């Protein structure tokens, strides 16, 4: 887990990749031609280019990925003995060569990581546990915020719903922005990442479908797409890097927890929030439409979005071309059952010029 401060106005510090290891791989293979590729997706042996030109490698633990792949191939049997054997094999494969017994907490987390491969392959919807009850929810980052991290996200009380406008290559519908993710930032603008490697699941599609969320996957196939690599690897990365840092999604925050049920809770929350933020429509209503000829001012773009969101948003530009918007929220209660309340931009400032911003059409 890492904690990083994004200085205001620093293009490198607030790149969409937000990866601490980018500098170490500056000479590795390059990605998106525009220099504005996705965060390095998990589970894929490739490099993705960050905003600063550096290439970011896969950060998922190789042993875990290997164990997960092995379990997936053996998950055709649905008996309890097969499940137990698969979980045991995954646990043993991650133990050190010396006889050093892991703690009970470590064994528990490893078992969850093993379970996701088997349960994720199920063809019928699974029963789920219930998120902890929060009868008097409090607002994250407020002076009255609860100390119960199952009822308020902490740290990470500022939730950023991040969107992209990709034109080279074009992704998603011509009349819609697309989802990047949901990032839990700390109240001071710093953030944690990759908070629980034992739950950095590598079969998001299978997990979602195992809980009956086929329609969610279909929506994500259209509106949560990668401009390089596979959509699945993009989702895996967003979950592993950001989703595991949402405290209210911890397995301990459920009664009768079903392994991996926090995954559909996370992706449903992201998609539901995205649907309330129609960036394309809000800009279009203000006369700001994609064009190869017209340009726009940052003030006009901010005004169009603030009219609906209530606060300034982060505007991201690549060489004067608008391609990112981040909306900031606090959450009253848990991510699963709480209410997202818009809040002021924290810790980042726009990378767009004040005037002459281009907003090209996708096609």
């Amino acid at each position: 887990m890492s904690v990083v401060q994004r200085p205001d106005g620093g293009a490198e510090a607030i790149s969409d990749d937000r990866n601490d290891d980018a500098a170490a791989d500056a000479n590795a293979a390059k990605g998106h031609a525009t220099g504005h590729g996705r965060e390095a997706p998990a589970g894929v042996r490739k490099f993705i280019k960050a905003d600063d030109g550096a290439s970011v490698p896969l950060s998922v633990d190789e042993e875990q990925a290997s164990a997960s792949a092995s379990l997936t191939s053996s998950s055709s049997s649905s008996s309890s003995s097969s499940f137990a054997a698969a979980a045991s094999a995954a646990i043993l494969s991650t133990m050190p060569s010396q006889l050093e017994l892991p703690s009970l907490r470590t064994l528990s987390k490893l078992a969850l990581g093993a379970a996701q491969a088997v349960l994720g392959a199920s063809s019928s919807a699974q029963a789920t546990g219930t998120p902890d009850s929060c009868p008097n929810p409090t607002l994250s980052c407020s002076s009255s915020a609860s100390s119960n991290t199952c009822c308020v996200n902490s740290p990470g009380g500022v939730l950023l719903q991040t969107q992209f406008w990709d034109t080279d290559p074009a992704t998603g519908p011509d009349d819609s922005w697309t989802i990047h993710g949901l990032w839990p930032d700390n109240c001071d603008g710093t953030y944690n990442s990759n908070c629980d490697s034992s739950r950095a699941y590598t079969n998001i599609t299978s997990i979602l479908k195992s809980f009956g969320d086929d329609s969610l996957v279909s929506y994500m196939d259209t509106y949560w797409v990668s401009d390089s690599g596979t959509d699945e690897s993009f989702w895996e990365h967003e979950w592993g890097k950001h989703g595991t840092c949402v405290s209210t999604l911890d397995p301990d925050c459920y009664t009768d927890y079903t392994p991996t049920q926090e995954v559909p809770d996370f992706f449903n929350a992201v998609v539901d929030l995205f649907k309330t933020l129609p960036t394309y429509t809000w800009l279009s209503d203000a006369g700001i439409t994609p064009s190869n000829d017209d340009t726009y001012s940052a003030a006009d773009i901010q005004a169009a979005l603030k009219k609906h969101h209530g606060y300034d948003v982060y505007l991201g530009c690549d060489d004067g071309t608008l391609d990112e918007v981040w909306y900031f929220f606090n959450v009253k209660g848990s991510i699963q059952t709480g209410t997202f309340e818009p809040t002021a931009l924290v810790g980042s400032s726009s990378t767009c010029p004040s005037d002459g911003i281009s907003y090209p059409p996708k096609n």
Side-chain angles (χ1 to χ4, degrees):
M1 180 177 71
S2 57
V3 179
V4 181
Q5 175 70 52
R6 285 197 301 270
D8 287 355
E12 178 179 17
I14 57 176
S15 68
D16 60 80
D17 183 73
R18 310 199 319 174
N19 192 302
D20 303 336
D21 300 323
D25 299 286
N27 296 320
K30 304 301 181 182
H32 196 298
T34 65
H36 198 70
R38 295 282 186 250
E39 296 176 282
V44 177
R45 294 233 169 259
K46 63 186 295 181
F47 291 86
I48 300 299
K49 188 175 180 182
D51 281 8
D52 58 1
S55 296
V56 183
L58 162 73
S59 62
V60 170
D61 183 87
E62 294 185 35
E63 290 184 334
Q64 181 194 5
S66 176
S68 176
S70 176
L71 284 171
T72 301
S73 67
S74 65
S75 62
S76 59
S77 171
S78 61
S79 67
S80 59
S81 60
S82 296
F83 175 84
S88 298
I91 294 172
L92 291 174
S93 69
T94 58
M95 290 178 63
S97 57
Q98 298 178 355
L99 292 177
E100 299 176 358
L101 294 178
S103 66
L104 289 176
R105 180 174 177 83
T106 299
L107 282 171
S108 176
K109 287 192 173 184
L110 288 171
L112 289 178
Q116 62 95 11
V118 177
L119 294 176
S122 173
S123 59
S124 59
Q126 302 182 65
T128 60
T130 305
D132 282 2
S133 175
C134 302
N136 298 299
T138 58
L139 189 65
S140 60
C141 293
S142 68
S143 58
S144 61
S146 170
S147 60
N148 181 354
T149 57
C150 289
C151 289
V152 64
N153 201 58
S154 179
V158 179
L159 278 296
L160 284 64
Q161 202 290 294
T162 54
Q163 301 183 12
F164 271 115
W165 180 258
D166 286 326
T167 60
D168 185 19
T171 62
D174 291 349
D175 60 352
S176 177
W177 286 55
T178 56
I179 301 171
H180 187 177
L182 184 67
W183 301 344
D185 276 17
N186 300 328
C187 303
D188 62 0
T190 61
Y191 67 94
N192 300 335
S193 62
N194 302 303
C195 295
D196 188 350
S197 61
S198 72
R199 294 190 297 126
Y201 307 135
T202 55
N203 58 337
I204 299 300
T205 300
S206 295
I207 292 173
L208 294 177
K209 289 185 175 182
S210 78
F211 286 96
D213 279 316
D214 296 66
S215 60
L216 173 62
V217 174
S218 179
Y219 187 90
M220 290 164 58
D221 281 335
T222 301
Y223 293 96
W224 198 337
V225 289
S226 175
D227 64 356
S228 59
T230 66
D231 296 344
E232 169 67 27
S233 64
F234 184 26
W235 303 338
E236 290 168 2
H237 174 71
E238 288 300 306
W239 163 255
K241 185 170 184 179
H242 305 295
T244 61
C245 295
V246 178
S247 68
T248 68
L249 294 174
D250 190 275
D252 291 340
C253 296
Y254 293 84
T255 301
D256 298 325
Y257 171 73
T258 299
T260 73
Q261 76 170 86
E262 70 272 31
V263 173
D265 282 349
F266 173 75
F267 284 94
N268 273 299
V270 180
V271 166
D272 288 346
L273 185 59
F274 171 75
K275 289 179 178 179
T276 70
L277 301 167
T279 302
Y280 182 93
T281 299
W282 289 349
L283 292 177
S284 180
D285 288 347
I288 301 172
T289 57
S291 172
N292 287 318
D293 302 313
D294 297 333
T295 60
Y296 306 96
S297 71
D300 287 344
I301 296 172
Q302 280 285 13
L305 300 179
K306 185 176 182 178
K307 176 181 178 181
H308 299 276
H309 182 60
Y311 294 90
D312 283 347
V313 301
Y314 166 83
L315 300 177
C317 284
D318 178 27
D319 196 24
T321 298
L322 180 66
D323 62 358
E324 281 189 271
V325 170
W326 301 353
Y327 296 92
F328 291 70
F329 293 86
N330 294 131
V331 182
K332 191 172 186 178
S334 69
I335 300 302
Q336 300 95 308
T337 62
T339 303
F340 285 79
E341 299 190 4
T343 191
L345 181 152
V346 178
S348 303
S349 60
S350 175
T351 58
C352 294
S354 58
D355 292 294
I357 298 172
S358 61
Y359 179 33
K362 292 187 178 182
N363 293 296

